[in-house]
Amino acid sequence: MIAAGGVIATGCVAALAFGWGPFAPGTITTDRLAGAWKGSGGESLEFRKDGTFCAAHFPIERSPEQRVDTCGTWSLSDDHGTDQGIDLDFTTPSYAMMGMVRVSGPEGRNGLYVDWNVDDASDRLELHRES
């Protein structure tokens, strides 16, 4: 179990905001975000319109052993309409991912992603809407 501590994770968001990432930047609405999103490694995020989410097998750090099954609240970050982020505030452990979940493509058509290292395209988690 990970100790609670209100740790704030920060990513290389500035690089993505300027279009340095490999994905097309995008924005998304609450209606489009609501629902289940899955990763290839069994990760999942389910966003609800009321601003809550639940995550399963979700990495809070890039190491595989740092996976959680938890719920919390989410909000859309304001990135001036160019490369929108989604802030996640986990209930347990007390952990926040501020702007690390990014939207790819208009209305998230290319999915969502978490970029741990903008210099290494393989160091990311991609999530796609569950069919």
Side-chain angles (χ1 to χ4, degrees):
M1 173 171 268
I2 300 168
V7 177
I8 295 179
T10 57
C12 299
V13 177
L16 294 171
F18 291 106
W20 297 337
F23 295 105
T27 59
I28 198 164
T29 62
T30 298
D31 286 340
R32 175 71 179 130
L33 182 63
W37 297 77
K38 298 278 186 184
S40 63
E43 309 86 357
S44 69
L45 271 175
E46 183 171 348
F47 294 96
R48 297 183 192 105
K49 291 181 183 181
D50 67 358
T52 61
F53 74 91
C54 284
H57 196 63
F58 196 80
I60 58 171
E61 303 218 0
R62 62 179 104 162
S63 54
E65 65 274 2
Q66 299 287 330
R67 304 282 175 147
V68 296
D69 295 331
T70 189
C71 295
T73 58
W74 66 269
S75 61
L76 297 173
S77 62
D78 181 12
D79 291 321
H80 311 293
T82 57
D83 185 22
Q84 192 168 39
I86 303 163
D87 299 335
L88 302 180
D89 190 5
F90 294 88
T91 303
T92 304
S94 179
Y95 192 86
M97 292 181 75
M98 308 305 289
M100 293 207 38
V101 178
R102 309 303 293 178
V103 178
S104 179
E107 289 299 307
R109 286 187 192 105
N110 298 335
L112 307 176
Y113 63 99
V114 180
D115 232 344
W116 303 113
N117 179 354
V118 296
D119 294 326
D120 181 358
S122 68
D123 198 8
R124 78 174 40 88
L125 165 65
E126 293 181 41
L127 300 162
H128 297 278
R129 182 166 292 287
E130 186 175 46
S131 308

